[in-house]
Amino acid sequence: LSYLKNPKILIGLGTTFFWQLGYGVMYSYIAPFLLTVTSTSGQEVSGALFAFGIATLIGSKVGGIMTDKIGNPKTLVGGLFVHCLALVLLSTIASSTVVAIPLLMLWSFSAWSSGPGMQYNLVWLAPEASGIMLSLYGSFIQLGIAAAAGIGGIAVKSTSVLAVSWIGALSVA
């Protein structure tokens, strides 16, 4: 816990938390979002989630490669910017499945392209405690996901399912 006294580590973990909150608030309600906002059918939701998963896998791999090639700051800022933009576009122009699926893929690709850089940053800040940093990283991811589901539930109940993408974009920003 002494590492939590380091402001740079706290910023890194805070960024991880808000990144996952922004991702998780939309992800927790992705099926209702697709069924309601884009009028996607149940079978199309299944296909959209499959494409989403493939893009997540590729995004994580590309994020690691880009962190090595162009550096961590550019990769993180670029990934988080596109992540935020994709969430905004999902809530503004994704009125059909044809538009929604590529945006979902862009969102998942960009969201998970940030993961390797987030981990690298924390390990770089405390290389002598890399195991602890990665454990804290995982814990803050889980905290972000838990907060996202609760916040998303409140937003959906209070307003509409459309709110989750806006809350996600705000959190990532």
Side-chain angles (χ1 to χ4, degrees), residues 54-145:
I54 297 298
T56 297
L57 175 72
I58 295 167
S60 184
K61 178 73 173 172
V62 170
I65 291 168
M66 295 309 290
T67 296
D68 291 340
K69 272 194 154 175
I70 65 169
N72 200 30
K74 289 179 183 175
T75 303
L76 277 176
V77 170
L80 292 172
F81 176 79
V82 175
H83 181 172
C84 186
L85 178 65
L87 286 168
V88 169
L89 292 174
L90 276 165
S91 63
T92 56
I93 68 168
S95 58
S96 71
T97 305
V98 174
V99 175
I101 291 176
L103 283 175
L104 281 175
M105 293 177 74
L106 177 65
W107 167 49
S108 63
F109 175 90
S110 61
W112 285 102
S113 72
S114 301
M118 299 270 188
Q119 293 172 50
Y120 174 85
N121 183 55
L122 290 168
V123 170
W124 181 78
L125 289 169
E128 74 285 357
S130 60
I132 292 170
M133 290 299 102
L134 293 176
S135 179
L136 286 170
Y137 169 82
S139 296
F140 274 73
I141 283 178
Q142 296 305 316
L143 288 170
I145 291 169

